[in-house]
Amino acid sequence: MIKGLRCRECGREFPAKALFVCEYCFGSLEVDYDYSSIGRQMTRQSIESRPRNIWRYRELLPIDGEPTVGFNTGMTPFFRADRLAKELGLKELYIKDDSVCHPTLSFKDRVVCVALSRARELGFDTVACASTGNLANAVSALSAQAGFKRFIFIPADLEMGKVVGSLIFHPRLIAVEGNYDEVNRLCAEIAARHRWAFVNINIRPYYAEGSKTYGFEVAEQMGWKAPRHIVVPAASGSLLVKIWKGFKEFHKLGLIEKPHTRLYAAQAEGCAPIVTAIVENSDIIKPVRPKTIAKSLAIGNPADGYYAADAIRETQGWGAAVSDSEIVEAIKLLGETEGVFTETAGGVTLAAARKLIEQKRIPRDESIVICITGHGLKTQEAVVDHIGKPIKIKPTLSSFEEAVGDK
Ligand SMILES: *Cc1c(COP(=O)(O)O)cnc(C)c1O
Ligand SMILES: [Zn+2]
């Protein structure tokens, strides 16, 4: 039930078309809903009775008619991580695991299902994106399923898993010799010339709303309440902003009590513009040139950085930046304690959570959610030299006993 688009800065209203900046003040546009009529239709019971995908929250998603893609996306695992909690000395720790999101194993499947359903309603036949990797995979796969023509733009130095994970769906995959911020700038120019739905440019207001479903699910899966603390990986900062928006919307509709959640941004030391602004208590997000193994988070000039920092301050959260070796250690720790193989972004999140706990920014005895957002098979390069090797033996019992037998 979209009411329209609204400027985040001056509040002016716009029709719900493929618009993304305010023509008066250049502020970014956000989707506005008719909450009073949504409130009558969305109850805990009505939501629980619906299929287990992102569209169970459809009144709070930006489409007018029926969704056209994403019927297997969402409702990913959420579980108590007691072995990891013990390792970190925590009482109540949860993992929200989008490393197994359908169909391309990252939370980007959520945002793309929403973007493509809206792109179809707006009459587009071609979709495109500027991506740090996971978005490329999600747009490639879901636009194949939905029957769009597709152009995918990535930095040329992405991991093999992300390249293969796009090419297999046969998009036009354009590898740009530059970093994500350069890819994004180029795409903004292309978007001005071609009538394509660039999911994270001209239809960004709709796309970004898809991230709320991650927060909605956390609240529903916790038993209709928000956690005290949630640690979120930040690239553009959009996921963090939208998780918070999702909690506030659930409260507005009476689905949960007033959330007392604190939000924490997790970034890599080699690309931490949002964390830097938080730690230095600055209103300005200073762009950086990324250098980190966490390529999915390597956005040096984050589009929603300002709003992410704002949400963090509003909730009295904080942020932490972690080194490449801390990322690798955290990926291994998550695997060894919880059997979850995450990509580098998940390593950033766990390592940042660990740091925030050690700094006593997050207390050990309250509920904490760690956001795992992508699968480790996509970033094997990051860990392959740090996990040992298989034990090679001949196909004989004696060879086995010699190699591993306990003598
Ligand atoms: C894109 C991405 C993020 C962060 O997304 P933003 O909304 O741009 O902050 C986090 N984790 C993974 C795995 C991603 O691909
Ligand atoms: Zn404006």
Side-chain angles (χ1 to χ4, degrees):
M1 253 162 282
I2 319 177
K3 222 162 85 184
L5 296 174
R6 177 196 289 274
C7 175
R8 277 159 145 180
E9 292 305 320
C10 74
R12 277 195 178 81
E13 292 178 8
F14 295 86
K17 293 198 202 135
L19 301 171
F20 62 110
V21 282
C22 173
E23 59 191 74
Y24 297 95
C25 78
F26 301 106
S28 57
L29 303 183
E30 187 173 34
V31 179
D32 197 16
Y33 299 86
D34 180 0
Y35 290 105
S36 55
S37 56
I38 292 174
R40 286 191 289 276
Q41 293 174 38
M42 263 185 123
T43 63
R44 290 181 185 178
Q45 290 76 8
S46 72
I47 295 168
E48 282 167 354
S49 71
R50 295 175 182 177
R52 296 174 60 77
N53 64 50
I54 57 166
W55 298 110
R56 68 207 263 112
Y57 312 110
R58 58 170 298 172
E59 288 91 343
L60 290 170
L61 294 173
I63 56 169
D64 294 320
E66 293 300 312
T68 42
V69 62
F71 302 105
N72 298 302
T73 300
M75 268 296 150
T76 53
F78 177 84
F79 56 93
R80 252 187 109 124
D82 285 335
R83 280 174 50 86
L84 179 58
K86 198 164 165 215
E87 192 71 35
L88 302 179
L90 304 174
K91 204 170 137 208
E92 192 182 353
L93 178 68
Y94 302 88
I95 288 172
K96 173 64 175 167
D97 187 9
D98 261 18
S99 73
V100 290
C101 203
H102 181 85
T104 65
L105 308 180
S106 90
F107 97 93
K108 293 297 197 304
D109 292 321
R110 299 171 181 276
V111 279
V112 172
C113 292
V114 173
L116 298 193
S117 288
R118 187 60 184 158
R120 167 112 329 130
E121 289 185 343
L122 293 172
F124 288 98
D125 65 2
T126 304
V127 295
C129 69
S131 172
T132 57
N134 284 313
L135 183 59
N137 295 170
V139 174
S140 299
L142 288 158
S143 64
Q145 193 192 15
F148 285 98
K149 284 179 264 181
R150 47 206 190 276
F151 290 85
I152 311 293
F153 297 83
I154 54 171
D157 69 346
L158 278 195
E159 301 94 341
M160 182 65 91
K162 302 240 165 112
V163 174
V164 174
S166 295
L167 282 177
I168 196 70
F169 307 110
H170 204 55
R172 298 277 198 80
L173 183 67
I174 322 284
V176 180
E177 288 172 6
N179 62 30
Y180 171 83
D181 298 286
E182 290 164 315
V183 175
N184 192 45
R185 208 173 315 123
L186 169 65
C187 285
E189 288 179 43
I190 296 170
R193 280 181 78 137
H194 295 267
R195 208 191 113 72
W196 297 344
F198 266 92
V199 301
N200 55 340
I201 301 177
N202 56 342
I203 58 169
R204 187 176 179 86
Y206 308 99
Y207 152 92
E209 288 288 286
S211 287
K212 291 191 306 191
T213 63
Y214 192 98
F216 291 154
E217 288 176 18
V218 168
E220 181 179 346
Q221 289 170 313
M222 280 197 80
W224 298 105
K225 65 176 195 212
R228 256 323 248 128
H229 308 276
I230 186 163
V231 187
V232 188
S236 74
S238 178
L239 174 63
L240 185 145
V241 170
K242 295 293 181 172
I243 287 173
W244 182 227
K245 184 180 181 192
F247 290 163
K248 286 192 293 190
E249 285 182 338
F250 262 19
H251 171 61
K252 194 181 302 197
L253 298 179
L255 295 166
I256 61 171
E257 281 179 13
K258 190 175 169 56
H260 296 288
T261 309
R262 293 184 174 175
L263 298 162
Y264 303 85
Q267 295 199 295
E269 275 173 5
C271 182
I274 297 172
V275 170
T276 302
I278 289 296
V279 171
E280 294 179 355
N281 194 21
S282 160
D283 270 347
I284 297 155
I285 306 288
K286 256 193 266 142
V288 300
R289 229 188 145 72
K291 191 174 181 333
T292 167
I293 58 168
K295 295 185 183 186
S296 55
L297 302 182
I299 298 185
N301 188 10
D304 289 289
Y306 172 83
Y307 299 102
D310 202 43
I312 292 165
R313 279 189 206 110
E314 180 191 339
T315 63
Q316 296 165 33
W318 199 247
V322 297
S323 68
D324 284 354
S325 61
E326 289 171 319
I327 295 169
V328 171
E329 277 314 302
I331 293 172
K332 290 167 63 178
L333 177 64
L334 185 65
E336 286 164 30
T337 54
E338 295 296 336
V340 170
F341 184 16
T342 185
E343 71 144 78
T344 45
V348 169
T349 310
L350 177 53
R354 196 172 192 173
K355 201 165 264 191
L356 291 160
I357 292 156
E358 277 160 14
Q359 294 171 349
K360 301 199 163 48
R361 291 274 172 191
I362 302 181
R364 293 176 185 273
D365 58 350
E366 296 178 344
S367 59
I368 305 169
V369 171
I370 288 179
C371 298
I372 298 300
T373 48
H375 202 284
L377 287 172
K378 298 200 202 193
T379 59
Q380 296 180 42
E381 293 90 336
V383 293
V384 68
D385 294 331
H386 306 278
I387 48 179
K389 292 230 161 22
I391 301 159
K392 261 198 195 151
I393 63 167
K394 299 251 155 45
T396 64
L397 183 58
S398 61
S399 178
F400 169 71
E401 293 294 352
E402 202 175 299
V404 299
D406 44 9
K407 272 182 263 89

